[in-house]
Amino acid sequence: MSILGVNGALAAGAYQYADKAQKTNTNEVSFAELAATKAAGKTENVSFKGMWQARFPGAYYNVMDTSKIDGSLWGRNDYPWDKYFSNNADASVLDWKPSGAEPAMLDPKVQAKINSTIGKKAIVVPPELEEKMKNDPELAKSVMAKVEGFIAEQDIMNPNPRKGYLIALDENGDIAHACVTSEKMSVSSAEFIEARKAREAKHAEYERLEEETALKRKLMEQEADERYYKTSTAKKAVSIAAYEAAGILK
């Protein structure tokens, strides 16, 4: 078993997998399905909390500001992220500080904490974002799509249905922190972030090579045009000289 932590807002491209993920819980319905089953006009008043708990029955919802929590603390094996798996999380989690060296992943206490979260989902929404979404249903839908996309991406990366999800949003509705627990995953937060950076760097290098290839192709075409022009001009000059020598052109 292991824990995976994420620090920083995720790129928008991460959410393109939402429609591809297989549902691992027969009681779960997509937000689109939820909207389709409600009468027109009623969905406009569905709160973000209502969307979240309708999409993931039994999922936990807390309104707290976790934006000040340092990513290095959030990703530690002894961070009390299991405390968020409650509808009334103790605010003390916001001021948590380690009391010693970070325990190993296989530490019994860490494993017990992981076991307590597997199969569950929890989300943390800052008060400021909560207020924004109350007055902006479209923002609430957009944030829900991001959350669903993140979960879908993780389900594709690790099809194991026995996972736990903790997602903490920032005031803009982006994912600031996340924790994914699983019986089979063995990726630390640092390794996950580095892997993501490597994928982004590879994509950037691919785009650079594409641009470089396109530029080379354009230069080759220009050189070919120039050679054709010079060859045509030279042939024309030879033809004119030949005609003049033959007395055709006077």
Side-chain angles (χ1 to χ4, degrees):
M1 298 179 183
S2 65
I3 171 178
L4 176 154
V6 184
N7 179 33
L10 300 181
Y15 308 115
Q16 65 184 338
Y17 303 103
D19 293 334
K20 297 180 182 179
Q22 296 181 345
K23 294 181 180 65
T24 57
N25 186 332
T26 56
N27 293 323
E28 295 179 0
V29 294
S30 70
F31 174 67
E33 292 169 336
L34 169 66
T37 60
K38 292 184 177 290
K42 292 184 179 180
T43 54
E44 295 180 1
N45 298 320
V46 177
S47 66
F48 179 75
K49 180 179 180 180
M51 295 179 197
W52 166 253
Q53 294 185 332
R55 173 66 177 90
F56 304 109
Y60 300 102
Y61 187 91
N62 280 286
V63 179
M64 307 172 75
D65 186 1
T66 59
S67 63
K68 296 180 181 180
I69 298 176
D70 187 88
S72 62
L73 292 180
W74 181 278
R76 284 177 61 102
N77 292 332
D78 51 354
Y79 181 79
W81 24 258
D82 56 314
K83 301 299 183 183
Y84 293 99
F85 288 82
S86 162
N87 286 322
N88 296 290
D90 190 323
S92 64
V93 293
L94 302 177
D95 300 317
W96 180 86
K97 295 291 186 297
S99 58
E102 181 178 11
M105 182 64 66
L106 296 179
D107 182 280
K109 291 183 179 179
V110 175
Q111 289 297 302
K113 184 168 56 176
I114 289 173
N115 281 331
S116 72
T117 63
I118 290 178
K120 301 177 182 179
K121 292 181 177 66
I123 196 165
V124 185
V125 181
E128 185 175 345
L129 175 62
E130 170 90 345
E131 195 62 31
K132 287 180 183 177
M133 292 192 293
K134 284 181 180 178
N135 301 315
D136 189 346
E138 291 305 314
L139 173 61
K141 293 176 185 178
S142 174
V143 174
M144 189 63 205
K146 289 181 182 180
V147 171
E148 282 194 293
F150 173 74
I151 293 175
E153 182 188 41
Q154 296 302 314
D155 284 344
I156 289 174
M157 292 172 62
N158 177 18
N160 175 23
R162 293 280 296 162
K163 288 194 289 293
Y165 285 97
L166 168 60
I167 299 171
L169 303 173
D170 65 17
E171 63 183 35
N172 298 314
D174 292 318
I175 298 176
H177 302 293
C179 172
V180 181
T181 56
S182 171
E183 294 176 328
K184 294 183 178 180
M185 292 170 61
S186 58
V187 184
S188 70
S189 60
E191 290 171 337
F192 178 83
I193 293 171
E194 288 304 315
R196 189 174 192 85
K197 287 180 179 179
R199 290 197 301 272
E200 292 173 350
K202 186 176 181 179
H203 180 70
E205 177 65 11
Y206 174 78
E207 289 185 337
R208 186 189 67 78
L209 291 174
E210 282 287 298
E211 292 177 358
E212 189 176 280
T213 300
L215 178 60
K216 287 181 179 178
R217 187 182 300 114
K218 186 175 181 180
L219 290 174
M220 290 175 65
E221 290 174 352
Q222 290 177 346
E223 291 175 357
D225 289 342
E226 289 176 2
R227 287 196 299 271
Y228 176 79
Y229 175 77
K230 290 178 180 179
T231 301
S232 298
T233 301
K235 287 181 178 179
K236 184 176 181 180
V238 170
S239 298
I240 292 174
Y243 289 146
E244 288 178 343
I248 298 175
L249 296 176
K250 294 293 184 179

